[in-house]
């Protein structure tokens, strides 16, 4: 009997524990808002959005790749605990219980950031999803386009190379032909070894009359890589472009074909004239031989 009661007590405890855990998961909503990219030297604000009431909030903690960066503890004087933040300094003017402002960010500040919120009653902690922040050194020049010639014939291979300016991380290059991205089989990256460097992309495209008499070539050098044709520079963390126009020679009929047609027409006219002259001469001769 005692064994049976112990077993039922254990099952009841497990059920109550499961209910408690389920309820705690719904105690509040939480999400970390972290910019995907930040430019070298600028200030970024990380936001810990939650639905905990002020009188129930006990602690907010920011972590980067599981390393503590910053803590806010309600009721503590001062309420902030500042840990080492590699590659950045805290901007106290924009930092609060839920926001962490990092100024003068360097490449070491790149990483995965998340926040943990702890309530006072009941004591419960919840951690947000982690989001990646990448600090970039932007390009300071537009990409350059090198091309062998500017006039092509149908059947030629259009061969061009686009080289970006240096940046970190290395930008990605995309070619647009008449405003559209060609198939990847026509683009070949020329890899660079250094991470703080330029990159290049080669375009080899068969020339057809479907391209039109003028072909608009655009090289995009962007971070992140190409999004879609509808995107503009506002959608990228770093955006540079260059464009050129090349011509496709129009096919013309061989000159000999035209001359042949004109020659045949001329021969026909001469032949008709000769027949008329001969008929007139014969008529005159007949009149002379047989006077009326």
């Amino acid at each position: 009997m005692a064994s049976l009661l112990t077993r039922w007590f254990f099952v009841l405890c497990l059920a109550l524990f499961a209910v408690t855990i389920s309820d705690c998961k719904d105690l509040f909503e939480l999400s970390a808002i972290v910019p995907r990219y930040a430019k070298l030297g600028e200030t970024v604000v990380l936001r810990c959005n939650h639905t905990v009431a002020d009188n129930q909030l006990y602690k907010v903690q920011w972590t980067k790749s599981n390393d503590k960066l910053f803590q806010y503890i309600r009721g503590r004087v001062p309420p902030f605990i500042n840990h080492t933040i590699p590659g950045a300094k805290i901007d106290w003017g924009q930092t609060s219980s839920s926001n962490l402002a990092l100024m003068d960010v360097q490449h070491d500040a790149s990483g995965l950031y998340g926040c943990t919120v702890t309530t006072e009653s009941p004591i419960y902690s919840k951690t947000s999803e982690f989001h990646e922040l990448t600090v970039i050194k932007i390009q300071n020049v537009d990409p350059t386009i090198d091309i062998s010639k500017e006039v092509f014939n149908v059947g030629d291979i259009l061969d061009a190379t686009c080289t970006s300016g240096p940046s970190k991380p290395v930008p990605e290059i995309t070619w647009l032909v008449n405003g559209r991205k060609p198939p990847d089989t026509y683009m070949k990256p020329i890899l660079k070894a250094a991470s703080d460097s330029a990159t290049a992309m080669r375009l080899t495209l068969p020339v057809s009359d479907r391209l039109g008499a003028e072909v608009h070539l655009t090289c995009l050098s962007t971070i992140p890589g190409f999004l879609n044709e509808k995107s503009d520079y506002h959608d990228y963390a770093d955006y540079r472009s260059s464009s050129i126009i090349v011509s496709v020679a129009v096919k013309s009929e061989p000159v000999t074909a035209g001359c042949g047609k004109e020659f045949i027409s001329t021969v026909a006219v001469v032949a008709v004239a000769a027949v008329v002259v001969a008929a007139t001469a014969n008529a005159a001769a007949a009149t002379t031989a047989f006077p009326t």
Side-chain angles (χ1 to χ4, degrees):
M1 183 66 177
S3 177
L4 182 62
L5 289 175
T6 302
R7 185 179 303 172
W8 276 108
F9 178 77
F10 179 72
V11 171
L12 180 61
C13 288
L14 285 179
L16 290 174
F17 179 75
V19 170
T20 302
I21 292 298
S22 177
D23 290 342
C24 285
K25 286 183 179 179
D26 297 326
L27 280 178
F28 57 88
E29 296 178 1
L30 174 65
S31 62
I33 309 300
V34 179
R36 179 63 185 88
Y37 295 97
K39 295 176 183 177
L40 193 69
E42 73 176 5
T43 296
V44 296
V45 179
L46 316 181
R47 306 186 186 280
C48 190
N49 287 351
H50 58 81
T51 56
V52 179
D54 290 342
N55 62 348
Q56 292 297 316
L57 181 64
Y58 171 64
K59 182 171 68 173
V60 176
Q61 176 177 292
W62 279 98
T63 57
K64 174 192 171 188
S65 303
N66 297 321
D67 293 328
K68 292 181 182 179
L69 297 179
F70 173 84
Q71 286 179 320
Y72 164 82
I73 300 177
R74 185 170 66 90
R76 185 181 181 277
V77 181
F80 303 113
I81 299 177
N82 179 20
H83 298 270
T84 301
I85 302 178
K89 302 174 183 177
I90 293 181
D91 181 354
W92 293 105
Q94 299 186 65
T95 295
S96 64
S97 60
S98 299
N99 297 339
L100 174 60
L102 304 179
M103 64 180 183
D104 192 25
V105 292
Q106 302 299 308
H107 293 301
D108 288 345
S110 299
L112 294 171
Y113 289 83
C115 62
T116 299
V117 171
T118 302
T119 56
E120 189 170 60
S121 178
I123 298 177
Y124 174 71
S125 293
K126 186 176 182 178
T127 301
S128 71
E129 292 184 353
F130 281 74
H131 300 281
E132 187 171 10
L133 168 68
T134 300
V135 179
I136 65 173
K137 176 186 176 183
I138 64 173
Q139 307 163 82
N140 56 10
V141 294
D142 292 334
T144 57
I145 297 176
D146 295 316
I147 195 164
S148 57
K149 56 183 180 179
E150 295 183 1
V151 179
F152 294 86
N153 295 314
V154 172
D156 287 347
I157 297 296
L158 190 158
D159 192 343
T161 300
C162 176
T163 304
S164 74
S167 73
K168 185 177 182 180
V170 175
E172 295 189 37
I173 292 179
T174 303
W175 281 100
L176 299 182
V177 179
N178 291 335
R180 303 287 294 180
K181 179 178 177 290
D184 292 337
T185 52
Y186 296 132
M187 296 185 290
K188 181 180 180 180
I190 303 173
L191 300 178
K192 300 291 183 179
S195 61
D196 187 0
S197 177
T199 188
M201 178 76 74
R202 186 180 181 187
L203 173 69
T204 52
L205 180 71
V207 177
S208 69
D209 51 10
R210 289 180 298 177
L211 293 175
E214 288 188 342
V215 183
H216 294 252
L217 300 177
T218 300
C219 170
L220 303 180
S221 181
T222 62
I223 301 173
F226 183 65
L227 299 176
N228 55 61
E229 279 85 0
K230 296 181 180 180
S231 302
D232 60 27
Y233 67 95
H234 294 292
D235 300 315
Y236 295 90
D238 190 19
Y239 179 98
R240 291 277 184 164
S241 69
S242 293
S243 298
I244 62 170
I245 298 176
V246 298
S247 300
V248 176
V250 179
K251 282 186 175 180
S252 60
E253 274 192 90
V255 176
T256 54
C259 292
K261 290 180 180 179
E262 292 176 3
F263 176 74
I264 292 171
S265 299
T266 303
V267 169
V269 171
V270 171
V272 171
V275 171
V276 172
V277 170
T280 303
N282 290 334
T287 302
T288 305
F290 305 98
T292 55

mmCIF file of all heavy atoms in Angstrom, residues 150-156 207-215 246-255:
data_model
loop_
_atom_site.group_PDB
_atom_site.id
_atom_site.type_symbol
_atom_site.label_atom_id
_atom_site.label_comp_id
_atom_site.label_asym_id
_atom_site.label_seq_id
_atom_site.Cartn_x
_atom_site.Cartn_y
_atom_site.Cartn_z
ATOM 1 N N GLU A 150 34.542 46.819 -77.308
ATOM 2 C CA GLU A 150 33.228 47.379 -77.036
ATOM 3 C C GLU A 150 32.230 47.107 -78.152
ATOM 4 O O GLU A 150 31.065 47.496 -78.038
ATOM 5 C CB GLU A 150 33.348 48.889 -76.798
ATOM 6 C CG GLU A 150 34.153 49.231 -75.549
ATOM 7 C CD GLU A 150 34.195 50.728 -75.277
ATOM 8 O OE1 GLU A 150 33.588 51.477 -76.058
ATOM 9 O OE2 GLU A 150 34.830 51.124 -74.284
ATOM 10 N N VAL A 151 32.666 46.460 -79.227
ATOM 11 C CA VAL A 151 31.767 46.081 -80.324
ATOM 12 C C VAL A 151 31.939 44.592 -80.588
ATOM 13 O O VAL A 151 33.060 44.124 -80.801
ATOM 14 C CB VAL A 151 32.048 46.894 -81.598
ATOM 15 C CG1 VAL A 151 31.100 46.453 -82.717
ATOM 16 C CG2 VAL A 151 31.891 48.384 -81.340
ATOM 17 N N PHE A 152 30.834 43.850 -80.592
ATOM 18 C CA PHE A 152 30.869 42.398 -80.765
ATOM 19 C C PHE A 152 29.989 42.001 -81.944
ATOM 20 O O PHE A 152 29.016 42.695 -82.282
ATOM 21 C CB PHE A 152 30.380 41.690 -79.496
ATOM 22 C CG PHE A 152 31.276 41.876 -78.307
ATOM 23 C CD1 PHE A 152 31.136 42.982 -77.483
ATOM 24 C CD2 PHE A 152 32.259 40.940 -78.005
ATOM 25 C CE1 PHE A 152 31.954 43.157 -76.378
ATOM 26 C CE2 PHE A 152 33.080 41.106 -76.903
ATOM 27 C CZ PHE A 152 32.935 42.223 -76.103
ATOM 28 N N ASN A 153 30.334 40.876 -82.539
ATOM 29 C CA ASN A 153 29.502 40.272 -83.568
ATOM 30 C C ASN A 153 28.706 39.123 -82.970
ATOM 31 O O ASN A 153 29.112 38.518 -81.964
ATOM 32 C CB ASN A 153 30.366 39.744 -84.722
ATOM 33 C CG ASN A 153 31.090 40.862 -85.448
ATOM 34 O OD1 ASN A 153 30.490 41.888 -85.764
ATOM 35 N ND2 ASN A 153 32.375 40.665 -85.710
ATOM 36 N N VAL A 154 27.563 38.830 -83.586
ATOM 37 C CA VAL A 154 26.777 37.680 -83.145
ATOM 38 C C VAL A 154 27.633 36.424 -83.275
ATOM 39 O O VAL A 154 28.279 36.194 -84.299
ATOM 40 C CB VAL A 154 25.494 37.556 -83.972
ATOM 41 C CG1 VAL A 154 24.765 36.253 -83.640
ATOM 42 C CG2 VAL A 154 24.571 38.750 -83.722
ATOM 43 N N GLY A 155 27.662 35.640 -82.213
ATOM 44 C CA GLY A 155 28.501 34.450 -82.178
ATOM 45 C C GLY A 155 29.782 34.628 -81.387
ATOM 46 O O GLY A 155 30.430 33.639 -81.024
ATOM 47 N N ASP A 156 30.152 35.901 -81.097
ATOM 48 C CA ASP A 156 31.334 36.152 -80.272
ATOM 49 C C ASP A 156 31.054 35.763 -78.819
ATOM 50 O O ASP A 156 29.905 35.575 -78.413
ATOM 51 C CB ASP A 156 31.729 37.629 -80.320
ATOM 52 C CG ASP A 156 32.345 38.035 -81.647
ATOM 53 O OD1 ASP A 156 32.682 37.130 -82.432
ATOM 54 O OD2 ASP A 156 32.463 39.255 -81.893
ATOM 55 N N VAL A 207 27.288 35.971 -77.451
ATOM 56 C CA VAL A 207 26.575 37.122 -77.998
ATOM 57 C C VAL A 207 25.564 36.636 -79.026
ATOM 58 O O VAL A 207 25.922 35.930 -79.980
ATOM 59 C CB VAL A 207 27.550 38.128 -78.639
ATOM 60 C CG1 VAL A 207 26.780 39.282 -79.267
ATOM 61 C CG2 VAL A 207 28.525 38.645 -77.592
ATOM 62 N N SER A 208 24.299 37.000 -78.830
ATOM 63 C CA SER A 208 23.245 36.682 -79.789
ATOM 64 C C SER A 208 22.476 37.949 -80.120
ATOM 65 O O SER A 208 22.552 38.952 -79.383
ATOM 66 C CB SER A 208 22.296 35.623 -79.224
ATOM 67 O OG SER A 208 21.527 36.154 -78.158
ATOM 68 N N ASP A 209 21.715 37.906 -81.231
ATOM 69 C CA ASP A 209 20.954 39.095 -81.615
ATOM 70 C C ASP A 209 19.823 39.379 -80.635
ATOM 71 O O ASP A 209 19.250 40.465 -80.635
ATOM 72 C CB ASP A 209 20.408 38.959 -83.040
ATOM 73 C CG ASP A 209 19.654 37.642 -83.248
ATOM 74 O OD1 ASP A 209 19.392 36.935 -82.243
ATOM 75 O OD2 ASP A 209 19.335 37.324 -84.403
ATOM 76 N N ARG A 210 19.499 38.425 -79.780
ATOM 77 C CA ARG A 210 18.462 38.657 -78.775
ATOM 78 C C ARG A 210 18.888 39.667 -77.717
ATOM 79 O O ARG A 210 18.062 40.208 -77.000
ATOM 80 C CB ARG A 210 18.075 37.341 -78.108
ATOM 81 C CG ARG A 210 17.293 36.396 -79.016
ATOM 82 C CD ARG A 210 16.931 35.103 -78.302
ATOM 83 N NE ARG A 210 18.120 34.359 -77.905
ATOM 84 C CZ ARG A 210 18.089 33.227 -77.220
ATOM 85 N NH1 ARG A 210 16.936 32.727 -76.813
ATOM 86 N NH2 ARG A 210 19.211 32.596 -76.910
ATOM 87 N N LEU A 211 20.175 39.897 -77.602
ATOM 88 C CA LEU A 211 20.663 40.884 -76.629
ATOM 89 C C LEU A 211 20.352 42.308 -77.064
ATOM 90 O O LEU A 211 20.356 43.222 -76.240
ATOM 91 C CB LEU A 211 22.175 40.726 -76.434
ATOM 92 C CG LEU A 211 22.646 39.431 -75.759
ATOM 93 C CD1 LEU A 211 24.169 39.365 -75.750
ATOM 94 C CD2 LEU A 211 22.109 39.325 -74.341
ATOM 95 N N GLY A 212 20.089 42.508 -78.340
ATOM 96 C CA GLY A 212 19.828 43.846 -78.846
ATOM 97 C C GLY A 212 21.087 44.494 -79.386
ATOM 98 O O GLY A 212 22.203 43.968 -79.241
ATOM 99 N N ALA A 213 20.917 45.648 -80.018
ATOM 100 C CA ALA A 213 22.056 46.351 -80.611
ATOM 101 C C ALA A 213 22.969 46.945 -79.547
ATOM 102 O O ALA A 213 24.174 47.099 -79.759
ATOM 103 C CB ALA A 213 21.569 47.450 -81.550
ATOM 104 N N GLU A 214 22.400 47.304 -78.389
ATOM 105 C CA GLU A 214 23.182 47.834 -77.266
ATOM 106 C C GLU A 214 22.966 46.935 -76.049
ATOM 107 O O GLU A 214 21.818 46.643 -75.688
ATOM 108 C CB GLU A 214 22.785 49.267 -76.929
ATOM 109 C CG GLU A 214 23.239 50.289 -77.963
ATOM 110 C CD GLU A 214 22.996 51.711 -77.479
ATOM 111 O OE1 GLU A 214 22.187 51.893 -76.541
ATOM 112 O OE2 GLU A 214 23.622 52.633 -78.028
ATOM 113 N N VAL A 215 24.054 46.516 -75.432
ATOM 114 C CA VAL A 215 23.985 45.643 -74.261
ATOM 115 C C VAL A 215 24.483 46.417 -73.045
ATOM 116 O O VAL A 215 25.615 46.913 -73.042
ATOM 117 C CB VAL A 215 24.836 44.371 -74.462
ATOM 118 C CG1 VAL A 215 24.686 43.448 -73.265
ATOM 119 C CG2 VAL A 215 24.433 43.656 -75.751
ATOM 120 N N VAL A 246 27.995 48.102 -74.389
ATOM 121 C CA VAL A 246 28.721 47.572 -75.539
ATOM 122 C C VAL A 246 27.721 47.385 -76.675
ATOM 123 O O VAL A 246 26.512 47.313 -76.454
ATOM 124 C CB VAL A 246 29.423 46.236 -75.212
ATOM 125 C CG1 VAL A 246 30.463 46.433 -74.113
ATOM 126 C CG2 VAL A 246 28.423 45.177 -74.808
ATOM 127 N N SER A 247 28.259 47.310 -77.908
ATOM 128 C CA SER A 247 27.407 47.221 -79.092
ATOM 129 C C SER A 247 27.518 45.850 -79.734
ATOM 130 O O SER A 247 28.558 45.193 -79.675
ATOM 131 C CB SER A 247 27.805 48.302 -80.111
ATOM 132 O OG SER A 247 27.676 49.596 -79.555
ATOM 133 N N VAL A 248 26.404 45.438 -80.360
ATOM 134 C CA VAL A 248 26.377 44.217 -81.153
ATOM 135 C C VAL A 248 26.180 44.629 -82.601
ATOM 136 O O VAL A 248 25.180 45.298 -82.938
ATOM 137 C CB VAL A 248 25.250 43.269 -80.698
ATOM 138 C CG1 VAL A 248 25.182 42.042 -81.614
ATOM 139 C CG2 VAL A 248 25.460 42.847 -79.256
ATOM 140 N N ALA A 249 27.110 44.261 -83.493
ATOM 141 C CA ALA A 249 27.051 44.652 -84.898
ATOM 142 C C ALA A 249 25.823 44.034 -85.564
ATOM 143 O O ALA A 249 25.508 42.858 -85.348
ATOM 144 C CB ALA A 249 28.324 44.231 -85.615
ATOM 145 N N VAL A 250 25.134 44.843 -86.388
ATOM 146 C CA VAL A 250 23.936 44.380 -87.083
ATOM 147 C C VAL A 250 24.341 43.636 -88.348
ATOM 148 O O VAL A 250 25.199 44.083 -89.103
ATOM 149 C CB VAL A 250 23.020 45.570 -87.440
ATOM 150 C CG1 VAL A 250 21.787 45.084 -88.186
ATOM 151 C CG2 VAL A 250 22.630 46.333 -86.184
ATOM 152 N N LYS A 251 23.700 42.482 -88.603
ATOM 153 C CA LYS A 251 23.987 41.730 -89.823
ATOM 154 C C LYS A 251 23.458 42.487 -91.043
ATOM 155 O O LYS A 251 22.357 43.017 -91.017
ATOM 156 C CB LYS A 251 23.314 40.354 -89.759
ATOM 157 C CG LYS A 251 24.026 39.331 -88.907
ATOM 158 C CD LYS A 251 23.343 37.980 -89.039
ATOM 159 C CE LYS A 251 24.106 36.910 -88.282
ATOM 160 N NZ LYS A 251 23.442 35.588 -88.398
ATOM 161 N N SER A 252 24.251 42.533 -92.131
ATOM 162 C CA SER A 252 23.807 43.170 -93.374
ATOM 163 C C SER A 252 23.934 42.185 -94.527
ATOM 164 O O SER A 252 24.760 41.284 -94.496
ATOM 165 C CB SER A 252 24.649 44.421 -93.655
ATOM 166 O OG SER A 252 26.008 44.079 -93.776
ATOM 167 N N GLU A 253 23.098 42.374 -95.597
ATOM 168 C CA GLU A 253 23.165 41.491 -96.764
ATOM 169 C C GLU A 253 24.474 41.701 -97.488
ATOM 170 O O GLU A 253 24.947 42.836 -97.599
ATOM 171 C CB GLU A 253 22.005 41.796 -97.719
ATOM 172 C CG GLU A 253 20.719 41.063 -97.392
ATOM 173 C CD GLU A 253 19.729 41.194 -98.531
ATOM 174 O OE1 GLU A 253 19.740 40.343 -99.429
ATOM 175 O OE2 GLU A 253 18.983 42.180 -98.502
ATOM 176 N N PRO A 254 25.073 40.644 -98.004
ATOM 177 C CA PRO A 254 26.294 40.800 -98.794
ATOM 178 C C PRO A 254 26.047 41.716 -99.981
ATOM 179 O O PRO A 254 24.998 41.675 -100.606
ATOM 180 C CB PRO A 254 26.611 39.364 -99.242
ATOM 181 C CG PRO A 254 25.908 38.494 -98.264
ATOM 182 C CD PRO A 254 24.693 39.238 -97.858
ATOM 183 N N VAL A 255 27.049 42.548 -100.275
ATOM 184 C CA VAL A 255 26.916 43.514 -101.366
ATOM 185 C C VAL A 255 26.686 42.800 -102.687
ATOM 186 O O VAL A 255 25.928 43.245 -103.542
ATOM 187 C CB VAL A 255 28.183 44.405 -101.444
ATOM 188 C CG1 VAL A 255 28.111 45.340 -102.628
ATOM 189 C CG2 VAL A 255 28.333 45.180 -100.146
#
